[in-house]
Amino acid sequence: MTVAVEAAEAVGEELRRLGARGCAWEDLGPDAGALRALVAYFPAGGEAGRSLAARLPADLRAFLAALPGWGLDPGPAEVATRLARATEWQDQWKAFFRPTRVGRRLVVHPPWEPPAAIGPDDIPIVIDPGQAFGTGNHATTRGALELLEEVLDSRRLAAPVVGAAPTDTGPSPVSRVFDLGTGSGILAIAAAKLGTAKVLAVDNDPVAVEAAGWNVAANGVAGRVEVALGDLGVVLASGGPASLILANLTTDLIVSSLPAVSAALEPGGVFVAAGIATGEAAERAAEAARAAGLSEIDRRSAENWTSFAFRKGPRPPRAGSPRAVFYTLGCKANLYDTSGLMDQFRQEGWHVDAGHEEEREGAGPDADLYVVNSCAVTTRAEGKSRQLVRRLKREHPMALVALVGCYPEVHRARRDQAAPKDAADPQAAPKDEADLILGTSDR
């Protein structure tokens, strides 16, 4: 069918809702103006297929008639259906979905046609166009993939979480990634192959979830990409903090979700947003992002569509702002907790650094505050926590030294069992030379 550009996204969603196994845009050439052709495939044979061919045009025309009420112009829409063999369907896809290079390294291709040549740094991504909406050849998807590669390759995210597992490709993995409205799963797959540690891909359409799961498995990234059926708002409200959020949605959905996206992003995190119409809609999205506390760091525009990369920036420290140095002992959970504490201090305008427990005496940076996130899993770990606190206080007698985390918490529990009357006294924790002693529940 042929529809106006501004209605194409909504019509594509309706085709999927009606049961299309595959749906994609077809470029009509420069003379088509503001028109796009959609090609969709409904797997139904025999009587079911004939019934579908008879019913579908009426259903689609009724949907097109309702679009003006949504503020969308369907244009001079035309609808045509016919029965086709599966081989014909594949041949039709071959006409306009061949291996496509996106950005510097990503090469998107259908399962029946692998890329002819792959360089040592290239990353192939196989997407079956029969598995949900979006194949990698649409302008919004290409723009989002280009921005995703740029953001990850140039390390334009916040500092990666210390202790995250290394990967074979890309920079150090970021802590947590959400792919909202995942469709075919292509953005989540690309994020995983570019080096992110864990991606949660969510859609409220069961067809898209099933299809994204197929594509994720076909690309061998099921260990790092979880595909789930769910509400995007619920994920944003309960799944954070995230260092990277991806979305290929409509302009209105992008704009309405920006406050929740900003709240779910950790400071320095990036939101890559696609599916936004170029022109007034793009400027409306940029303005809404600024109002939500996000700054634009890049954009890609092509074929009347714009994709954005926005960053949630921590409040820059002022000249003469206080400095804090954080030391972490123990497990990865402590590393994650320290990362969250450091982000909170950055938000308040502090200069923040990570110290290293093994640094030689006197080599640490000067600061106003030193925080030791301690460990109590063994007596040796407790001893290292005490030694570090004493060394910092000796080297920086004018600074505030805080002992936080498991060591004070464990000793408080032991003390409470022995002498409950002292439970309200936080300074009854280990009497080291720290100025401030806080357990895990007090941080």
Side-chain angles (χ1 to χ4, degrees):
M1 60 187 302
T2 305
V3 295
V5 167
E6 68 176 81
E9 184 81 14
V11 174
E13 291 294 328
E14 177 66 7
L15 286 166
R16 286 173 52 205
R17 191 190 69 79
L18 292 172
R21 184 169 177 265
C23 181
W25 321 103
E26 185 172 9
D27 191 359
L28 296 177
D31 296 334
L35 296 180
R36 286 289 181 273
L38 279 74
V39 180
Y41 172 58
F42 294 81
E47 290 301 320
R50 281 186 280 275
S51 171
L52 178 70
R55 186 182 72 250
L56 191 61
D59 290 344
L60 287 173
R61 290 189 181 101
F63 180 76
L64 292 168
L67 287 179
W70 302 0
L72 294 174
D73 177 13
E78 299 178 7
V79 181
T81 63
R82 67 184 181 87
L83 296 174
R85 297 185 304 276
T87 53
E88 184 183 356
W89 148 254
Q90 193 174 94
D91 290 341
Q92 188 175 25
W93 273 103
K94 285 181 179 179
F96 62 96
F97 180 33
R98 296 186 180 279
T100 303
R101 180 172 293 277
V102 182
R104 293 184 299 278
R105 293 190 293 156
L106 301 176
V107 183
V108 185
H109 67 96
W112 61 78
E113 190 172 358
I118 289 289
D121 296 326
D122 288 340
I123 300 175
I125 299 176
V126 55
I127 297 293
D128 185 350
Q131 299 291 344
F133 188 66
T135 61
N137 63 339
H138 185 256
T140 59
T141 308
R142 292 198 308 270
L145 289 171
E146 289 173 1
L147 289 173
L148 174 61
E149 182 183 19
E150 175 67 22
V151 163
L152 292 175
D153 281 0
S154 63
R155 302 176 185 267
R156 294 168 76 176
L157 282 164
V161 169
V162 178
T167 57
D168 295 331
T169 60
S172 302
V174 296
S175 56
R176 196 164 171 78
V177 181
F178 298 148
D179 177 18
L180 308 177
T182 190
S184 64
I186 187 169
L187 295 183
I189 293 165
K193 290 199 169 189
L194 285 165
T196 57
K198 194 71 176 176
V199 185
L200 174 61
V202 182
D203 206 295
N204 58 11
D205 184 342
V207 176
V209 169
E210 181 182 357
W214 188 97
N215 286 320
V216 165
N219 282 275
V221 293
R224 278 186 282 157
V225 179
E226 177 188 355
V227 183
L229 180 69
D231 181 84
L232 310 186
V234 171
V235 171
L236 288 173
S238 60
S243 51
L244 175 62
I245 298 178
L246 313 169
N248 192 352
L249 304 168
T250 63
T251 303
D252 287 343
L253 280 174
I254 293 289
V255 169
S256 63
S257 67
L258 278 165
V261 166
S262 181
L265 277 174
E266 60 189 29
V270 171
F271 178 38
V272 174
I276 302 167
T278 299
E280 181 181 343
E283 296 314 311
R284 179 160 61 95
E287 177 58 34
R290 287 191 290 271
L294 305 178
S295 57
E296 180 183 335
I297 58 175
D298 209 342
R299 71 167 75 183
R300 296 284 191 280
S301 296
E303 301 173 24
N304 299 311
W305 296 98
T306 298
S307 301
F308 287 93
F310 300 112
R311 189 206 305 276
K312 180 177 180 179
R315 186 188 304 171
R318 301 177 303 275
S321 292
R323 180 180 298 275
V325 179
F326 288 77
Y327 294 83
T328 307
L329 293 86
C331 62
K332 288 185 178 180
N334 274 15
L335 292 166
Y336 182 82
D337 290 341
T338 298
S339 177
L341 287 168
M342 292 171 73
D343 286 340
Q344 291 180 47
F345 273 76
R346 288 191 188 98
Q347 285 291 87
E348 295 301 322
W350 285 60
H351 293 276
V352 174
D353 294 302
H356 302 282
E357 174 207 347
E358 65 276 9
E359 66 197 10
R360 67 183 187 277
E361 190 158 337
D366 289 326
D368 303 280
L369 168 67
Y370 295 88
V371 180
V372 177
N373 193 0
S374 61
C375 178
V377 68
T378 64
T379 54
R380 183 171 182 270
E382 291 182 356
K384 291 172 70 174
S385 299
R386 290 195 302 269
Q387 290 168 13
L388 180 56
V389 165
R390 289 168 179 157
R391 176 170 71 81
L392 290 170
K393 196 61 186 174
R394 182 173 65 252
E395 294 177 2
H396 309 280
M398 301 303 293
L400 187 71
V401 176
L403 174 65
V404 305
C406 297
Y407 178 36
E409 191 74 17
V410 167
H411 279 266
R412 173 188 292 173
R414 294 172 186 165
R415 181 207 63 219
D416 290 348
Q417 292 173 1
K421 62 183 175 57
D422 294 332
D425 179 12
Q427 297 298 332
K431 295 189 182 302
D432 294 295
E433 296 172 6
D435 301 290
L436 184 63
I437 300 175
L438 301 169
T440 55
S441 58
D442 301 313
R443 276 198 300 265

